Amino acid sequence: MTKLFLIRHGETDWNVQRRYQGHADTELNANGITQATKLQSVLDGQSFHSVYSSDLRRVMQTATYAGVDESDIVKESRMREVSFGKFEGLTHDEIEATYPDDFLAWGANRENNVHGGEDVRDVFARVRQFYVHLRDHYAGDEPVLCFGHGGTIAIFLATALGADPSMWWQFHVKNTAVTIINLYEMGSQLVQFNDTHHLRG
């Protein structure tokens, strides 16, 4: 069994403005830094075999503000957020106004790569690769810690729990939320989901 802690990055200005971020290398805002700093209360006293993080700045910042030494972090591009191509930096309403035909096609089927970014099926494949690596490589070791994004964490959970990856949108992950999942060879067990008690002090 591999015990995995999954943590989403802290808040950014684009989160507040509800802009699609994807591969855009945005930074934490002041509230996001505060959220990440409060994660220290969750991680203090925990021992981890390995620490992984998406290589995008907002996630790496979250890990370091949470007290993780950057030299201990393995940058993991497979946990990057989905690339939304020309939709990145835009809100839902701005996408609809700027690219009305693409917006309709995308709304009908999110696997339509109308934005020119990343094919969501490729995202499913890379996240599954990482899931299999963790499950098989760390069995019986100390827990593993991974910092990521709302989208890729949700896809990871759908994959690990045996759901169709296209159902990822049903897992809503909050900024700096802590999720714990046990990975077994025969399946996975969700122990804790979307916990943000550290933000309430």
Side-chain angles (χ1 to χ4, degrees), residues 75-88:
K75 294 182 180 180
E76 180 49 75
S77 61
R78 288 175 292 189
M79 283 300 285
R80 268 193 178 206
E81 186 59 283
V82 182
S83 169
F84 295 107
K86 64 187 180 185
F87 292 172
E88 290 184 4

Side-chain angles (χ1 to χ4, degrees), residues 1-2 4 131 134-135 156 160 181-185 187-188:
M1 185 268 285
T2 304
L4 175 66
Y131 153 71
L134 294 180
R135 183 196 65 192
F156 188 101
I181 186 167
N182 293 335
L183 310 179
Y184 296 92
E185 186 176 352
S188 298

Side-chain angles (χ1 to χ4, degrees), residues 42-131:
V42 176
L43 302 182
D44 280 351
Q46 293 279 355
S47 179
F48 296 100
H49 185 284
S50 298
V51 181
Y52 290 89
S53 171
S54 160
D55 56 347
L56 294 179
R57 191 179 316 172
R58 58 190 181 272
V59 188
M60 289 292 295
Q61 285 181 316
T62 301
T64 54
Y65 277 113
V68 180
D69 191 315
E70 187 170 351
S71 64
D72 293 331
I73 300 172
V74 178
K75 294 182 180 180
E76 180 49 75
S77 61
R78 288 175 292 189
M79 283 300 285
R80 268 193 178 206
E81 186 59 283
V82 182
S83 169
F84 295 107
K86 64 187 180 185
F87 292 172
E88 290 184 4
L90 302 179
T91 65
H92 189 269
D93 290 344
E94 288 169 347
I95 294 171
E96 183 177 17
T98 308
Y99 305 106
D101 293 338
D102 291 338
F103 176 81
L104 286 174
W106 195 49
N109 182 358
R110 288 301 173 98
E111 293 189 8
N112 286 333
N113 189 11
V114 294
H115 45 62
E118 195 172 15
D119 191 311
V120 71
R121 288 163 292 196
D122 292 336
V123 184
F124 296 163
R126 64 173 163 87
V127 171
R128 178 168 178 78
Q129 265 189 351
F130 183 55
Y131 153 71

Side-chain angles (χ1 to χ4, degrees), residues 1 11-12 17 34 39 41 46 52 80 85-86 91 104 108 122 137 144 150 154-155 161 165 170 176 196 201:
M1 185 268 285
E11 184 184 85
T12 69
Q17 298 161 10
T34 298
L39 274 169
S41 66
Q46 293 279 355
Y52 290 89
R80 268 193 178 206
K86 64 187 180 185
T91 65
L104 286 174
D122 292 336
H137 190 72
V144 175
I155 292 169
L161 296 172
Q170 294 184 271
T176 70
T196 56

Side-chain angles (χ1 to χ4, degrees), residues 5 35 38-43 46 174-180 192-201:
F5 285 66
Q35 290 173 332
K38 288 182 175 180
L39 274 169
Q40 291 186 35
S41 66
V42 176
L43 302 182
Q46 293 279 355
K174 299 177 182 178
N175 291 114
T176 70
V178 179
T179 294
I180 302 174
Q192 178 176 305
F193 176 66
N194 220 14
D195 187 353
T196 56
H197 79 273
H198 54 281
L199 301 183
R200 300 189 294 274

